[in-house]
């Protein structure tokens, strides 16, 4: 037999099932339950030490390949090469640890939200205990300002309102009641006789019985989802792993071929050929790549921090650039999480709120601030968000709120309750009469209204007037506005019988206001920019369907009347995974959803091969933030839980910052791709040169030559490509998506033909030096040829760095000298390369000879051909694409 939900049980049944009573548990029983079930706390998330984080950085496949290369280089005497590789690897690990060490732990942050103490009834006595000592069956007493310490079934409610936005996504406090609810599997936001751990009491009081503690609470369930969520692999990490494996296989094959061919030709001894093959393998590995990727990401992180996007994990920078879907929470992310008066209805006329001003005697303005429990403090307004919005609105209109409150103090009141949905207060007037100020739900208040304030006069309320008011109320409600009506009555004396029947009758309608949690002003443009970039924005919220749809229309996420694009959590529950997977692209707005729904939505898109970014600020968003390819938390309104589960945090809570971050992510990927094309084409040129020299029986470049060229060209110029300015129209291109990699978009073809070109030009110069020598001595001829090949191979790579400023664009359109760091990198690299030939002493160390002007002219001309030929190829590539 299925267990009956707590919200469907009577008080008597609850007491019986939980073995408790209205007087609470006995201390002995409470201690027994505490010993049996544990404390009312959430599980502590396992943490790793800095050393463990550091060691974890070396599990990456590419890093392992580099470590093996360093070992081989060290064993073969190439100590400098080994040291350089190790420095690169260690720096990469330090960068990774530094970013992860800044992260806050999500589940531990949940603990920090918990109430420190709770007021309970035990042994028939009211007492205060630590909230972690609560057990199921305890009777908890709640008042305004309390943090709810456990999941409760409410039993005695007096005008209770609870703010649950961090848990449900609903932007206004929820009115609670103790009535039994019907219906199976009600969403959390609809369980009005329940109160949940870590939510806040904003108004009223209540008594409740604890039905769940610790990890059994709704918040605990979310904590469990966070704990169980698998870490997602970013596209960047997947690409680097794939690249490392591909390169390793290719390099080993080439080295084996070179070794086998050398032995077949019997040109070298077994040991010499083994050293040659190993040198070639070490030369072919782009040992600077991890450092370049890390530095590029780190610089991107710094730029994003200046633009209010704080990155917690380096790969997240690039992941944004491949994002297909941005699934955003509504409350506090797309909206301001602040109720605001938007429409005012007065004199049977509806107007925009900002166009209306009020004088001191205006009854609508008076009732708005008098029938109101907002407290005005030095820190601002305190109270129910709906009520504070009314006072703030009048303050913004320069209405003398303080003066009116002082002149018309509250004498008596009839508090709000959820049954009659009204609140009334009584205030003295200057002429000795009293003003009864009433506010509440329009349909309930209208039942008690007989007259209407219109154009400064009070007239009887006609049926036509009543219909106009009800129609206006309905129209505002369909726009997702929360509507409140205001009425008043003048009386000679303070009512002695403070009942609704005696006080709230024969009222004069002063007007109505429509309020909403408005969208952030910059979000609509951000949504449009995202769509232009081929990214699909979606709204996922715990709020009601109509509210979510209305905000989505205003933001441009869906079009007016596009109701089929809106789905609720209940409708989602009725759909199996296979059906939902087929229909997921039909929906852009998800309303009234629970945390597990958000994870399900993220997973459905990921199964379609899409890269999903999820934004959110509440506890309820944390599991989806962790499940997404990139979770984006809100820095200001976000809970520590949501920030802890995120890969990136928006310091300004500005949705448009996401678009900026996407732009930066695309730029980072493009620049890494440029660096990879540059490095791998250069390494391919080196491998081809060594391979052909071995095959032709020529004197080959020494390991010191290859090492120096790699050191000079794999560092500063390649890193400088990582900070290239963004190319035009990068945000007009569709997202790369999950299937793309560093070789996509013509990069692989570029690496192949450019590497072949580099090797071919270098071999041509070597051949030219042997065929048309300037010396007669054979040893000098070979020394010149080797020196010219060394200089050409180095200079070609420096000139090719200019080609690599754009994968397909001409260097004359991307800006030859825009990047100052790049300019200096080329100058320094050129100087380091030239020093080995021109500086006496260094040339003997590097086994190179002095060249005359003619030989230098050949080297420079041949190297410049790299730019000319690549520019011609790019020109025809662009023509083909067009």
């Amino acid at each position: 037999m299925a267990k009956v939900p707590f919200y469907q049980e009577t008080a008597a049944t609850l007491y019986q099932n939980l073995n408790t009573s209205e007087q609470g548990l006995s201390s002995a029983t409470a201690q027994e339950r505490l010993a049996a079930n544990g404390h009312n706390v959430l599980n502590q998330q396992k943490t790793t030490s800095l050393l463990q984080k550091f060691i974890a950085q070396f599990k990456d496949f590419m890093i392992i390949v580099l470590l093996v290369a360093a070992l081989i280089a060290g064993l073969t005497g190439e100590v400098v090469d080994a040291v350089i590789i190790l420095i690169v690897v260690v720096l990469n690990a330090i960068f990774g640890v530094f970013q992860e060490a800044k992260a806050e732990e999500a589940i531990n942050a949940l603990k920090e939200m918990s109430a420190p103490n709770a007021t309970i009834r035990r042994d028939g006595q009211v007492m205060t205990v630590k909230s972690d000592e609560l057990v199921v069956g305890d009777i908890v007493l709640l008042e305004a300002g309390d943090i709810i310490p456990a999941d409760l079934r409410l039993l005695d409610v007096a005008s209770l309102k609870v703010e649950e936005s961090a848990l449900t996504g609903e932007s206004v406090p929820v009115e609670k009641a103790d009535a039994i609810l019907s219906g199976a599997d009600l969403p959390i936001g609809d369980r009005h006789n329940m109160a949940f751990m870590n939510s806040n009491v904003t108004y009223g009081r209540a008594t409740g019985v604890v039905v769940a503690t610790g990890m059994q609470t709704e918040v605990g369930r979310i904590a469990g989802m966070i704990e169980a969520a698998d870490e997602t692999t970013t596209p960047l990490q997947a690409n680097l792993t794939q690249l490392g494996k591909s390169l390793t296989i290719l390099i080993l094959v080439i080295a084996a071929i070179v070794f086998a061919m050398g032995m077949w030709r019997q040109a070298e001894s077994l040991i010499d050929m083994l050293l040659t093959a190993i040198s070639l393998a070490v030369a072919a590995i782009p040992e600077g790549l991890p450092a370049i990727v890390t530095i590029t990401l780190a610089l991107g992180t710094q730029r994003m921090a200046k633009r209010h996007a704080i990155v917690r994990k380096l790969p997240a920078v690039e992941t944004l650039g491949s994002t297909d879907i941005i699934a955003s929470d509504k409350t506090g992310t797309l909206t301001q999480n602040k109720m605001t008066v938007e429409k005012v209805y007065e004199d049977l006329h509806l107007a925009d709120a900002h166009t209306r001003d009020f004088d001191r005697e205006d009854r609508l303005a008076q009732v708005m601030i008098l029938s109101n429990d907002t407290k005005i403090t030095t820190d601002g307004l305190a109270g129910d968000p709906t009520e504070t919005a009314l006072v703030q609105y009048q303050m913004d209109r320069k209405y003398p709120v303080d003066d009116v409150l002082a002149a018309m103090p509250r004498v008596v009141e009839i508090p709000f309750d959820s049954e009659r949905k009204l609140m009334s207060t009584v205030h003295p007037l200057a002429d000795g009469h009293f003003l009864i100020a009433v506010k509440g739900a329009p349909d309930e208040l209208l039942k008690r209204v007989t007259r209407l304030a219109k154009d400064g006069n009070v007239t009887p309320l006609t049926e036509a007037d009543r219909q106009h008011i009800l129609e206006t109320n309905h129209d505002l409600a369909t726009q997702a506005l929360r509507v409140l009506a205001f009425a008043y009555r003048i009386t000679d004396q303070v009512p002695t019988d403070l009942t609704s029947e005696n006080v709230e009758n024969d009222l004069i309608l002063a007007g109505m206001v429509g309020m909403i949690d408005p969208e952030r002003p910059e979000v609509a443009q951000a949504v449009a920019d995202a769509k232009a970039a081929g990214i699909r924005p979606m709204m996922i919220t715990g709020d009601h369907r109509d509210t979510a749809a209305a905000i989505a229309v205003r933001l441009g996420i869906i079009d007016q009347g596009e109701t089929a694009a809106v789905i609720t959590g209940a409708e989602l529950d009725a759909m199996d995974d296979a059906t939902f997977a087929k229909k997921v692209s039909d929906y852009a707005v998800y309303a009234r959803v629970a945390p597990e729904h958000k994870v399900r939505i993220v997973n459905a898109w990921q199964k379609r091969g899409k890269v999903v970014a999820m934004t959110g600020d509440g506890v309820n968003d944390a599991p989806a933030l962790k499940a997404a390819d990139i979770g984006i938390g809100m820095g200001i309104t976000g809970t520590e839980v949501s920030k802890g589960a995120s890969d990136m945090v928006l310091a300004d809570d500005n949705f448009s910052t996401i678009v900026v971050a996407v732009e930066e992510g695309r730029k980072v990927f493009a620049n890494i791709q440029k660096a990879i094309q540059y490095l791998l084409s250069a390494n391919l040129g080196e491998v081809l040169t060594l391979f052909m020299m071995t095959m032709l029986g020529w004197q080959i470049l020494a390991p010191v030559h290859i090492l120096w060229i790699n050191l000079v060209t794999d560092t500063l110029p390649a890193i400088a490509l990582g900070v290239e300015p963004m190319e035009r129209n990068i945000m007009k291109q569709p997202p790369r998506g999950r299937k793309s990699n560093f070789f996509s978009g013509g990069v692989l073809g570029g690496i192949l033909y450019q590497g072949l070109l580099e090797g071919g030009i270098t071999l041509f110069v070597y051949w030219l030096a042997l065929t048309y020598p300037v010396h007669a001595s054979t040893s000098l001829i070979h020394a010149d040829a080797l020196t010219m090949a060394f200089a050409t191979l180095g200079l070609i790579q420096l000139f090719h760095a200019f080609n690599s400023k754009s994968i397909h664009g001409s260097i004359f359109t991307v800006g030859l000298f825009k990047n100052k760091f790049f300019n200096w990198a080329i100058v320094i690299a050129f100087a380091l390369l030239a020093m080995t030939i021109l500086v006496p002493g260094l040339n003997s160390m590097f086994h190179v000879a002095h060249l005359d002007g003619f030989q230098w002219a050949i080297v420079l001309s041949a190297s410049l051909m790299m730019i000319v030929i690549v520019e011609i190829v790019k020109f025809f590539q662009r023509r083909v694409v067009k």
Side-chain angles (χ1 to χ4, degrees):
M1 184 176 176
K3 185 173 180 280
V4 177
F6 293 116
Y7 56 79
Q8 291 183 353
E9 293 187 350
T10 64
T13 305
L14 274 170
Y15 288 143
Q16 181 180 349
N17 291 344
L18 300 177
N19 197 16
T20 186
S21 70
E22 191 176 350
Q23 299 305 309
L25 299 171
S26 67
S27 296
T29 302
Q31 286 303 315
E32 288 173 7
R33 293 187 182 184
L34 187 64
N37 302 319
H39 284 76
N40 178 35
V41 294
L42 302 178
N43 290 346
Q44 190 86 356
Q45 185 168 352
K46 293 179 181 178
T47 58
T48 55
S49 65
L50 283 178
L51 179 60
Q52 289 172 314
K53 288 184 174 74
F54 183 76
I55 293 172
Q57 304 297 317
F58 294 90
K59 295 178 181 177
D60 182 83
F61 187 80
M62 189 71 178
I63 299 299
I64 293 171
V65 171
L66 289 175
L67 289 174
V68 172
L71 178 63
I72 293 172
L75 292 174
T76 55
E78 301 299 333
V79 178
V80 176
D81 204 352
V83 169
I84 290 171
I85 294 173
L86 287 174
I87 289 172
V88 165
V89 168
V90 171
L91 284 175
N92 179 70
I94 290 171
F95 272 119
V97 171
F98 178 72
Q99 287 295 318
E100 288 187 29
K102 293 193 296 184
E104 293 290 335
E105 300 294 351
I107 295 178
N108 296 343
L110 267 171
K111 283 191 69 177
E112 295 300 317
M113 291 178 64
S114 301
N117 298 302
T119 303
I120 65 171
R121 192 182 295 128
R122 273 189 192 164
D123 300 315
Q125 302 294 318
V126 174
M127 62 180 71
T128 300
V129 299
K130 291 182 179 179
S131 62
D132 62 3
E133 295 178 359
L134 285 182
V135 296
V136 171
D138 265 325
I139 304 299
V140 177
L141 282 62
L142 300 174
E143 292 183 350
D146 286 350
I147 299 174
I148 294 170
D151 283 4
L152 311 176
R153 165 68 156 85
L154 301 172
L155 298 174
D156 183 13
V157 173
S159 304
L160 185 72
K161 292 185 182 181
V162 178
E163 197 273 310
E164 298 177 338
S165 64
L167 190 63
T168 66
E170 197 161 358
S171 53
V172 296
V174 179
E175 296 172 7
K176 296 294 185 178
D178 49 22
I180 298 170
L181 300 176
S182 59
D185 297 324
L186 288 179
I188 292 174
D190 290 339
R191 299 176 195 175
H192 298 310
N193 61 7
M194 300 285 294
F196 302 103
M197 185 177 186
N198 291 358
S199 50
N200 302 292
V201 179
T202 62
Y203 190 88
R205 58 180 175 77
T207 301
V209 59
V210 175
V211 295
T213 61
M215 294 299 288
Q216 304 305 311
T217 63
E218 290 296 328
V219 167
R221 197 165 57 85
I222 291 173
M225 291 169 66
I226 297 172
E227 201 170 31
D230 294 327
E231 289 290 338
T232 54
T233 300
T234 68
L236 177 66
Q237 292 166 324
N239 282 335
L240 284 176
T241 300
Q242 180 190 18
L243 177 60
K245 289 179 179 177
S246 302
L247 281 178
T248 303
I249 294 168
L250 186 62
I251 289 165
L252 291 176
V253 169
I254 292 173
I257 292 173
V258 168
F259 175 77
M261 290 299 293
M263 293 305 298
W264 177 68
R265 286 177 52 85
Q266 297 183 344
E268 304 280 351
S269 68
L270 175 66
I271 296 298
D272 287 341
M273 277 314 304
L274 184 61
L275 289 175
T276 298
I278 291 172
S279 296
L280 187 149
V282 172
I285 293 175
E287 61 269 8
L289 181 58
I292 289 161
V293 170
T294 302
I295 291 168
T296 302
L297 291 173
L299 292 173
T301 297
Q302 291 178 6
R303 288 191 298 269
M304 290 171 72
K306 291 176 182 177
R307 301 176 81 173
H308 310 295
I310 311 301
V311 175
R312 297 175 66 246
K313 297 179 182 177
L314 280 179
V317 180
E318 181 275 333
T319 307
L320 271 167
S322 58
T323 299
D324 298 287
I325 307 292
I326 297 179
S328 177
D329 177 49
K330 178 184 75 69
T331 305
T333 307
L334 299 173
T335 64
Q336 299 175 26
N337 198 18
K338 181 178 67 176
M339 292 302 289
T340 304
V341 177
E342 188 165 280
K343 297 287 185 181
V344 174
Y345 180 80
E346 195 177 18
D347 298 335
L348 297 180
H349 174 69
L350 185 66
D352 290 332
H354 68 274
T355 64
R356 182 72 176 88
D357 288 314
F358 301 87
D359 60 49
R360 183 187 176 112
E361 302 305 318
D362 192 294
R363 293 300 187 202
L364 177 58
Q366 288 179 350
V367 178
M368 284 171 71
I369 65 170
L370 293 174
S371 184
N372 194 312
D373 285 327
T374 297
K375 300 289 187 292
I376 302 175
T377 71
T378 54
D379 295 326
L381 303 180
D384 182 270
T386 301
E387 294 193 322
T388 59
L390 298 172
V391 176
Q392 187 63 56
Y393 171 66
Q394 292 299 345
M395 285 180 165
D396 293 341
R397 312 318 300 163
K398 308 301 182 187
Y399 186 79
V401 173
D402 291 328
D403 292 347
V404 172
L405 288 174
M408 305 172 68
R410 185 180 301 183
V411 179
V412 293
E413 65 178 294
I414 305 178
F416 173 88
D417 71 56
S418 56
E419 289 187 13
R420 76 182 207 288
K421 297 182 179 180
L422 299 174
M423 173 185 180
S424 298
T425 56
V426 181
H427 307 264
L429 295 171
D431 61 4
H433 292 83
F434 291 88
L435 174 72
I436 298 175
V438 187
K439 83 164 186 292
D443 51 349
E444 291 297 325
L445 186 61
L446 209 55
K447 295 174 184 176
R448 295 161 171 82
V449 168
T450 57
R451 290 168 291 168
L452 174 71
K454 184 178 179 183
D455 301 326
N457 300 310
V458 176
T459 61
L461 183 72
T462 67
E463 186 57 33
D465 294 337
R466 185 183 299 275
Q467 287 304 314
H468 190 270
I469 294 164
L470 290 173
E471 286 171 8
T472 303
N473 175 45
H474 175 74
D475 290 343
L476 293 175
T478 57
Q479 299 172 46
L481 270 67
R482 183 184 177 95
V483 186
L484 281 178
F486 304 88
Y488 67 96
R489 176 163 64 90
I490 309 297
T491 182
D492 294 333
Q493 58 185 12
V494 177
T496 54
D497 181 14
L498 292 176
T499 61
S500 177
E501 293 75 15
N502 183 50
V503 176
E504 296 166 345
N505 64 71
D506 193 26
L507 299 175
I508 303 167
L509 184 70
M512 297 188 298
V513 298
M515 293 182 288
I516 198 169
D517 175 14
E519 68 275 19
R520 292 177 175 273
E522 70 282 346
V523 171
Q525 184 59 49
V527 167
D529 291 343
K531 285 185 171 182
I535 300 167
R536 180 170 182 173
M538 298 192 310
M539 177 193 291
I540 303 179
T541 177
D543 221 332
H544 291 279
R545 183 188 195 118
D546 291 344
T547 304
I551 292 292
V553 169
R554 290 163 66 145
L555 292 174
I557 294 175
I558 61 174
D559 296 328
Q560 185 72 45
E562 198 179 348
T563 54
V566 184
I567 185 173
T568 65
E571 292 169 332
L572 189 55
D573 280 333
M575 211 179 289
D576 59 44
D577 287 341
T579 305
F580 181 50
K582 292 178 183 177
K583 294 186 173 183
V584 66
S585 59
D586 296 341
Y587 309 117
V589 178
Y590 295 84
R592 220 63 181 149
V593 295
E596 56 269 27
H597 292 138
K598 298 182 180 185
V599 176
R600 192 178 172 197
I601 294 161
V602 168
N603 290 341
W605 279 110
Q606 287 174 331
K607 287 176 183 176
R608 284 199 165 201
K610 301 298 184 182
V611 177
V612 182
M614 168 75 188
T615 74
D617 64 344
V619 175
N620 61 320
D621 299 316
L625 289 172
K626 193 168 181 183
D629 294 287
I630 177 163
I632 307 169
M634 300 294 129
I636 299 173
T637 60
T639 60
E640 289 303 311
V641 185
S642 61
K643 286 186 276 188
S646 301
D647 301 297
M648 186 179 84
V649 176
L650 302 184
D652 59 355
D653 283 16
N654 190 332
F655 185 86
S656 62
T657 303
I658 298 171
V659 178
V660 170
V662 168
E663 181 181 275
E664 189 64 48
R666 291 189 175 190
K667 173 184 167 184
V668 164
F669 181 86
N671 286 350
I672 291 175
Q673 206 173 31
K674 293 170 190 176
I676 285 175
Q677 177 171 290
Y678 169 67
L679 285 173
L680 295 188
S681 58
N683 285 17
L684 179 59
E686 293 168 13
V687 169
L688 181 65
T689 301
L690 290 176
F691 180 78
M692 291 306 299
M693 282 179 164
T694 303
M695 295 301 100
L696 295 171
W698 290 349
Q699 184 179 350
I700 65 173
L701 293 169
V704 69
H705 296 144
I706 299 299
L707 172 63
W708 189 250
I709 288 173
N710 277 0
L711 181 65
V712 168
T713 62
D714 282 14
T715 50
L716 291 178
I719 291 171
L721 286 171
V723 294
E724 273 292 296
M726 185 178 66
E727 292 188 54
R728 291 179 298 175
N729 299 325
I730 198 168
M731 287 299 285
K732 300 296 182 186
Q733 300 167 8
R736 298 191 322 276
R738 192 178 296 279
K739 293 182 180 179
S740 73
N741 56 48
F742 289 125
F743 297 128
S744 301
V747 172
L748 180 59
I751 290 171
L752 293 174
Y753 91 81
Q754 289 162 17
L756 290 170
L757 189 57
E758 287 187 31
I761 292 173
T762 303
L763 291 168
F764 173 74
V765 169
Y766 187 93
W767 172 83
L768 205 62
L770 290 178
T771 308
Y772 303 99
V774 296
H775 295 99
S777 166
T778 302
S779 61
L780 290 177
I781 290 172
H782 280 283
D784 285 351
L786 204 61
T787 302
M788 290 173 69
F790 168 64
T792 302
L793 187 58
L795 283 177
I796 276 179
Q797 292 184 15
L798 294 184
F799 284 126
H800 183 46
F802 285 95
N803 288 328
S804 301
K805 278 174 165 280
S806 176
I807 302 296
H808 298 296
S810 169
I811 60 173
F812 303 108
T813 58
V814 298
L816 264 177
F817 306 108
K818 264 186 178 181
N819 186 347
K820 292 181 180 178
F821 181 42
F822 180 88
N823 299 338
W824 280 109
I826 295 297
V827 170
I828 293 169
F830 179 80
L832 290 171
L833 192 65
M835 279 169 48
T836 60
I837 300 174
L838 300 176
V839 176
L842 284 179
N843 52 9
S844 59
M845 187 186 300
F846 280 85
H847 313 294
V848 293
H850 284 293
L851 302 177
D852 62 22
F854 177 70
Q855 289 171 318
W856 272 115
I858 291 174
V859 168
L860 288 170
S861 300
S863 301
L864 277 169
M865 286 303 295
M866 189 69 194
I867 290 180
V868 175
I869 295 172
V870 171
E871 276 293 300
I872 292 171
V873 172
K874 283 184 181 180
F875 172 77
F876 284 107
Q877 284 178 333
R878 291 193 298 271
R879 292 291 295 269
V880 169
V881 170
K882 285 183 179 178

